[in-house]
C-alpha cells in the first residue's frame, strides 16, 4: 500500500508555536487545579525539593540574623537549609522539605528574595526627566521647522553633487 503523509501535522505544529506562553496567573490557576486533583492526603506527605544557587546569594536568602529563612519556614511549615553542592563549586544546594504545596511556596518566597537582592544591588537605571524633556523640546522644534518648510536640517535638496566645471 501507498503511504500518505498528513499535511495537517505541520499546520498543527505551526499553530502551537504561535501560541502565547501562559501568564503567571494562568499557571497559578493551573497549579491550584492540579493540586485539587491529588489523591486525598497525598499533599500532606513530606516532599523535598532542591535547588543549586550561587554561594554569594545564600546570605541574602537567609537574611539578617536568619530573619528571612525563619519567616519562610514559619509561613510554609517547611524546613529550609543550605548545604555545599560538592565538587568544590561556588554553588550551594538549598533543600526544602515539607508538605508539597508548602515546599513550592517556600521555593517561590526564596526565589523572590533572590531577585529582590539582585534589584537592590543593581537597580534599574532611572530616567533623567529633565534631559528627556529637553530632548523632547528639541525634537518638537525640529518637527515645527520641518512642517513650516524652513529647515536647515537635513541634506540639500536637488539632484547632482554641486556645481559643474570647476
Amino acid at each position: 500500500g501507498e503511504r500518505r503523509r498528513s499535511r495537517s501535522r505541520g499546520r498543527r505544529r505551526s499553530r502551537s508555536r504561535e501560541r502565547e506562553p501562559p501568564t503567571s496567573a494562568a499557571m497559578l490557576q493551573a497549579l491550584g487545579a492540579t493540586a485539587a486533583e491529588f489523591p486525598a492526603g497525598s499533599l500532606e506527605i513530606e516532599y523535598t525539593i532542591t535547588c543549586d544557587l550561587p554561594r554569594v546569594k545564600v546570605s541574602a536568602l537567609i537574611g539578617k540574623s536568619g530573619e528571612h529563612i525563619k519567616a519562610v519556614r514559619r509561613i510554609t511549615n517547611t524546613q529550609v537549609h543550605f548545604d555545599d553542592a560538592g565538587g568544590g563549586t561556588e554553588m550551594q544546594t538549598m533543600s526544602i522539605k515539607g508538605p508539597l504545596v508548602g515546599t513550592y511556596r517556600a521555593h517561590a518566597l526564596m526565589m523572590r528574595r533572590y531577585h529582590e537582592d539582585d534589584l537592590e544591588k543593581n537597580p534599574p537605571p532611572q530616567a533623567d526627566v529633565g534631559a528627556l524633556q529637553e530632548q523632547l523640546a528639541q525634537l518638537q522644534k525640529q518637527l515645527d521647522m520641518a512642517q513650516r518648510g524652513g529647515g536647515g536640517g537635513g541634506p540639500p535638496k536637488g539632484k547632482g553633487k554641486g556645481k559643474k566645471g570647476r
Side-chain angles (χ1 to χ4, degrees):
E2 186 179 318
R3 290 188 101 172
R4 294 184 183 181
R5 285 192 167 161
S6 169
R7 292 184 185 187
S8 64
R9 279 186 182 174
R11 280 194 293 251
R12 256 189 243 129
R13 268 190 237 127
S14 66
R15 269 192 227 129
S16 68
R17 274 189 234 128
E18 293 170 8
R19 284 189 196 135
E20 291 290 317
T23 63
S24 293
M27 291 299 290
L28 289 172
Q29 188 175 13
L31 182 61
T34 301
E37 295 170 356
F38 270 66
S42 61
L43 292 176
E44 288 73 37
I45 297 170
E46 188 173 87
Y47 294 86
T48 300
I49 61 172
T50 62
C51 178
D52 287 345
L53 299 164
R55 185 178 304 275
V56 297
K57 299 292 282 185
V58 172
S59 62
L61 297 177
I62 292 172
K64 190 178 258 183
S65 302
E67 290 175 17
H68 185 254
I69 199 168
K70 288 175 187 173
V72 169
R73 288 170 177 158
R74 186 182 68 254
I75 291 166
T76 62
N77 193 31
T78 59
Q79 300 168 31
V80 183
H81 68 277
F82 292 90
D83 294 309
D84 284 332
T89 67
E90 292 300 311
M91 304 295 278
Q92 283 193 281
T93 300
M94 176 176 65
S95 296
I96 304 171
K97 188 183 290 189
L100 187 64
V101 176
T103 60
Y104 285 108
R105 181 164 186 216
H107 185 258
L109 290 168
M110 296 300 277
M111 292 300 95
R112 182 183 72 190
R113 180 67 198 124
Y114 181 99
H115 293 291
E116 288 170 347
D117 182 59
D118 279 346
L119 285 175
E120 288 168 10
K121 290 179 179 170
N122 303 307
Q126 297 296 313
D128 180 353
V129 176
L132 290 173
Q133 288 174 332
E134 177 63 30
Q135 184 180 9
L136 179 60
Q138 292 296 325
L139 290 169
Q140 187 63 50
K141 282 182 190 176
Q142 289 176 11
L143 178 61
D144 290 344
M145 291 176 80
Q147 286 175 339
R148 280 189 240 128
K157 295 191 168 68
K159 301 177 186 177
K161 298 180 182 180
K163 294 184 178 180
K164 290 185 182 180
R166 285 197 178 173

